[in-house]
Amino acid sequence: MSVLICQRITSSSSVLELPTFLQSVGIMRPDDANVAGNVHGGTILKMIEEAGAIISTRHCNSQNGERCVAALARVERTDFLSPMCIGEVAHVSAEITYTSKHSVEVQVNVMSENILTGTKKLTNKATLWYVPLSLKNVDKVLEVPPVVYSRQEQEEEGRKRYEAQKLERMETKWRNGDIVQPVLNPEPNTVSYSQSSLIHLVGPSDCTLHGFVHGGVTMKLMDEVAGIVAARHCKTNIVTASVDAINFHDKIRKGCVITISGRMTFTSNKSMEIEVLVDADPVVDNSQKRYRAASAFFTYVSLSQEGKSLPVPQLVPETEDEKKRFEEGKGRYVQMKAKRQGRAEPQP
């Protein structure tokens, strides 16, 4: 899929002109979609991250000083509001909405357009956080130029979002320390039956100028593994419904071997939650051990050939750890369902 940058809007401030808005467009091709013609969630996540990386890197280099590249640190929960299909055009718009001393918040919207009818619909809304890394020293985080807010409330609201995501990112850094182990002859509908892993050697095409993996590449691989887990469990056409916050715990270097592992943690009547873990093994560097690079929860739904939602076979947790993860997943499901219902209620 080719992407064309077609618009750049800057701040009207006379003190500092900052690139704060960006749009890109691309047509969805057969290799972007599954066998049913639905565009992979990972493809959309990669487009979202590319737009976020461009606008945040531009912003962080808008002042004279040490050059840098913006690295993805976190993606907030992302809902897939409507499926996108082969032949449709994706319109991706990214906007910087907050900056702290060392991070940039970017909000991205994705619209799909049927070029035969002209119909457009919102498919995704996402919030991403980036940090600027020096081109001279990849372990050095640089300061971010401030943005000019039209209202003071925007800065205060942004600061609250920043503090909330910072706290959650620290809490999840070491929460997922275990690994997914294979089991011989697992029973259907168990965690072991559908769990899957993908091993990938990080090459130059996966990486930034720094020699580290693009966040969008990692997310695309994570979605691919989660999709395999979901398909193995229900044996139907499946699509990504949402992605819980993706936390990037550490950078992945070129030449590393990464293992992306997925396991089902919870099922409701019509959805599946899948935990995806990314571990990096620096095989050419004996001084560094295998480490957890990223983690997230993906939610999938099962669809019929007509695109209608189908019931999901219920997961059968066997071990105490699996039962614990099931209850934790149920808690996240109930909490998110309550939030959606709260937003849907009419305001008095």
Side-chain angles (χ1 to χ4, degrees):
M1 182 200 70
S2 60
V3 176
L4 169 67
I5 306 303
C6 56
Q7 187 173 8
R8 178 185 178 189
I9 301 175
T10 60
S11 167
S12 59
S13 169
S14 59
V15 178
L16 180 65
E17 191 156 304
L18 302 173
T20 58
F21 188 84
L22 176 144
Q23 288 186 334
S24 65
V25 62
I27 190 165
M28 298 295 99
R29 304 185 184 280
D31 56 353
D32 296 319
N34 61 18
V35 293
N38 302 121
V39 175
H40 292 294
T43 299
I44 298 173
L45 289 172
K46 191 170 184 288
M47 289 191 298
I48 289 172
E49 197 279 328
E50 286 173 347
I54 291 170
I55 192 172
S56 53
T57 298
R58 277 180 176 172
H59 177 80
C60 293
N61 287 282
S62 59
Q63 289 182 326
N64 293 328
E66 195 170 343
R67 299 295 92 181
C68 64
V69 64
L72 183 63
R74 177 179 167 88
V75 181
E76 302 288 1
R77 179 182 172 88
T78 303
D79 290 307
F80 289 73
L81 307 173
S82 180
M84 192 181 299
C85 301
I86 295 172
E88 292 186 328
V89 174
H91 297 264
V92 184
S93 59
E95 182 180 10
I96 294 175
T97 48
Y98 178 75
T99 58
S100 68
K101 186 177 181 180
H102 295 294
S103 64
V104 181
E105 180 192 53
V106 180
Q107 293 192 4
V108 182
N109 289 340
V110 182
M111 301 282 295
S112 66
E113 177 192 4
N114 184 320
I115 55 178
L116 299 179
T117 65
T119 304
K120 290 185 178 181
K121 55 187 177 182
L122 180 66
T123 63
N124 295 80
K125 297 177 69 174
T127 301
L128 305 90
W129 293 88
Y130 290 84
V131 293
L133 303 179
S134 167
L135 287 176
K136 296 179 180 179
N137 179 3
V138 295
D139 295 319
K140 180 181 179 182
V141 179
L142 302 181
E143 291 192 11
V144 176
V147 294
V148 178
Y149 301 97
S150 59
R151 295 180 294 107
Q152 185 178 357
E153 292 82 2
Q154 288 179 315
E155 183 173 11
E156 294 173 353
E157 292 166 359
R159 186 180 296 111
K160 291 179 182 178
R161 294 193 300 270
Y162 167 74
E163 294 296 338
Q165 65 84 28
K166 184 179 179 182
L167 179 62
E168 185 174 342
R169 194 168 72 237
M170 293 179 67
E171 289 176 347
T172 57
K173 185 167 186 179
W174 304 112
R175 188 174 66 193
N176 298 318
D178 58 336
I179 60 176
V180 178
Q181 298 285 3
V183 175
L184 294 176
N185 301 318
E187 294 293 325
N189 299 336
T190 62
V191 175
S192 301
Y193 183 81
S194 59
Q195 69 183 27
S196 304
S197 294
L198 182 152
I199 299 175
H200 179 75
L201 175 63
V202 176
S205 61
D206 299 321
C207 297
T208 66
L209 295 174
H210 266 120
F212 294 104
V213 176
H214 286 287
V217 171
T218 305
M219 291 194 293
K220 192 172 187 297
L221 291 171
M222 294 172 78
D223 179 75
E224 183 176 335
V225 169
I228 293 171
V229 174
R232 279 180 168 173
H233 181 76
C234 60
K235 302 187 184 304
T236 60
N237 177 36
I238 47 87
V239 294
T240 314
S242 67
V243 185
D244 208 346
I246 303 176
N247 290 289
F248 292 83
H249 309 305
D250 209 339
K251 300 182 290 292
I252 304 173
R253 295 179 182 271
K254 180 174 62 179
C256 281
V257 172
I258 55 175
T259 303
I260 306 98
S261 304
R263 61 187 172 197
M264 194 160 294
T265 51
F266 171 75
T267 53
S268 66
N269 289 333
K270 292 189 176 181
S271 67
M272 302 161 275
E273 182 191 71
I274 296 143
E275 182 181 32
V276 181
L277 310 173
V278 181
D279 294 310
D281 187 3
V283 292
V284 296
D285 184 2
N286 293 329
S287 64
Q288 193 174 9
K289 297 180 179 179
R290 181 185 175 110
Y291 61 91
R292 176 63 39 82
S295 59
F297 291 98
F298 286 69
T299 299
Y300 275 75
V301 293
S302 174
L303 298 179
S304 66
Q305 292 182 348
E306 293 76 29
K308 295 183 179 180
S309 179
L310 292 174
V312 171
Q314 292 306 289
L315 182 66
V316 181
E318 298 176 298
T319 68
E320 290 302 315
D321 285 341
E322 290 172 359
K323 293 175 182 178
K324 180 182 178 183
R325 286 194 291 268
F326 186 92
E327 291 302 318
E328 291 172 347
K330 183 178 180 180
R332 287 186 291 270
Y333 169 78
V334 171
Q335 185 180 31
M336 187 51 57
K337 187 176 181 180
K339 285 183 179 180
R340 286 198 301 266
Q341 290 175 344
R343 288 196 296 265
E345 290 178 359
Q347 297 297 319

